[in-house]
Amino acid sequence: MHSVVPLKVHYYGTPVVLVSSTNPDGSTNLAPMSSAWWLGQEAMLGLGASSRTTQNLLRTEECVLNLAPSTLVDHVDRLALLTGAPELSEHKRATGYRYEPRKFEAAGLTPQPSELVRPDRVLECPIQLECRVTGHLPIDSARAIHVTVLRAHVDSSVRMLGTDYVDPLAWDPLIMKFCDFFGSGDALIPSRLAAGWQMPGRLEQAS
Ligand SMILES: Cc1cc2nc3c(=O)[nH]c(=O)nc-3n(C[C@H](O)[C@H](O)[C@H](O)COP(=O)(O)O)c2cc1C
């Protein structure tokens, strides 16, 4: 039997993308996001207007979308309540965010130079997409940012040999389902975001 439920969140299970973007001082910012959908070589990213990533994308019109495998769940979670924006919105402060200008070090990830855009790629991500921002529009307090893939880098470990396709058996994306992390369909760890957003995560918070 169905009930009418005023759902607060519609995160039904989407891959986690680590977005690299260029800060005003030329360093690379890195932020996890999962509100992304794809159409051919185009993608739409749903990003909060106050995030450093949004500001960087609108100013520089470029980014790298690094697709996170499930094995990077701990690294991604370390970024969950960090922002590269020195000025925190009242909402972010209340949610427990703090300013962190060195996201790669904070996450324990390795910067790898890009070829067509300025922000670094994430070496540990087997799929890295260098992108140009082609448009954006406001949605509520967020922005829908349209990006076009300029160049895709695919590690041989997830490529179907001799083809231009990713091997679906080898590629195991980190999935954000509501506010918990999943990989291969299995529960991994709760996201710190669940605590910050006071979401009823299904997985026990370790600490
Ligand atoms: C797994 C995960 C998924 C997230 N998905 C989104 C998202 O789709 N859109 C968004 O605006 N923020 C999302 N966030 C929150 C951003 O990472 C957060 O706003 C962060 O401050 C952005 O960093 P920045 O301010 O340095 O850009 C997500 C966080 C996590 C941990």
Side-chain angles (χ1 to χ4, degrees), residues 50-96:
S50 69
S51 82
R52 177 63 122 190
T53 301
T54 303
Q55 297 159 8
N56 287 346
L57 262 58
L58 299 189
R59 191 184 68 259
T60 66
E61 300 187 331
E62 57 182 22
C63 64
V64 182
L65 305 181
N66 304 276
L67 278 292
S70 65
T71 48
L72 290 187
V73 62
D74 291 314
H75 302 262
V76 170
D77 197 45
R78 275 181 234 158
L79 292 172
L81 292 177
L82 302 181
T83 176
E87 309 287 331
L88 267 71
S89 66
E90 195 42 53
H91 171 70
K92 278 211 156 149
R93 197 182 300 281
T95 311

Side-chain angles (χ1 to χ4, degrees), residues 1-202:
M1 189 182 79
H2 292 76
S3 305
V4 174
V5 179
L7 288 175
K8 291 186 182 150
V9 170
H10 294 270
Y11 294 166
Y12 297 105
T14 43
V16 174
V17 182
L18 290 172
V19 185
S20 309
S21 63
T22 307
N23 289 317
D25 68 0
S27 62
T28 297
N29 188 49
L30 195 58
M33 62 88 64
S34 56
S35 303
W37 62 264
W38 314 82
L39 190 66
Q41 300 302 314
E42 315 298 318
M44 286 299 281
L45 313 176
L47 285 168
S50 69
S51 82
R52 177 63 122 190
T53 301
T54 303
Q55 297 159 8
N56 287 346
L57 262 58
L58 299 189
R59 191 184 68 259
T60 66
E61 300 187 331
E62 57 182 22
C63 64
V64 182
L65 305 181
N66 304 276
L67 278 292
S70 65
T71 48
L72 290 187
V73 62
D74 291 314
H75 302 262
V76 170
D77 197 45
R78 275 181 234 158
L79 292 172
L81 292 177
L82 302 181
T83 176
E87 309 287 331
L88 267 71
S89 66
E90 195 42 53
H91 171 70
K92 278 211 156 149
R93 197 182 300 281
T95 311
Y97 277 85
R98 71 172 172 81
Y99 170 52
E100 174 54 73
R102 291 173 299 278
K103 298 277 197 78
F104 276 94
E105 281 108 313
L109 295 169
T110 314
Q112 178 181 22
S114 295
E115 295 174 356
L116 302 177
V117 298
R118 194 162 174 204
D120 290 323
R121 294 176 276 159
V122 176
L123 178 67
E124 290 82 357
C125 289
I127 303 173
Q128 310 153 328
L129 309 174
E130 298 189 43
C131 296
R132 181 180 60 229
V133 173
T134 32
H136 60 93
L137 55 114
I139 293 187
D140 200 6
S141 62
R143 289 281 183 287
I145 303 183
H146 173 193
V147 301
T148 303
V149 177
L150 301 176
R151 182 165 290 179
H153 303 266
V154 180
D155 190 79
S156 55
S157 62
V158 297
R159 186 174 169 186
M160 287 172 89
L161 281 184
T163 75
D164 292 337
Y165 290 94
V166 170
D167 182 348
L169 291 178
W171 168 234
D172 181 30
L174 177 60
I175 297 292
M176 183 75 158
K177 186 159 39 144
F178 289 86
C179 269
D180 289 323
F181 288 120
F182 287 74
S184 302
D186 298 324
L188 297 174
I189 61 167
S191 158
R192 287 176 212 213
L193 205 62
W197 290 7
Q198 299 178 329
M199 289 277 301
R202 291 275 288 147

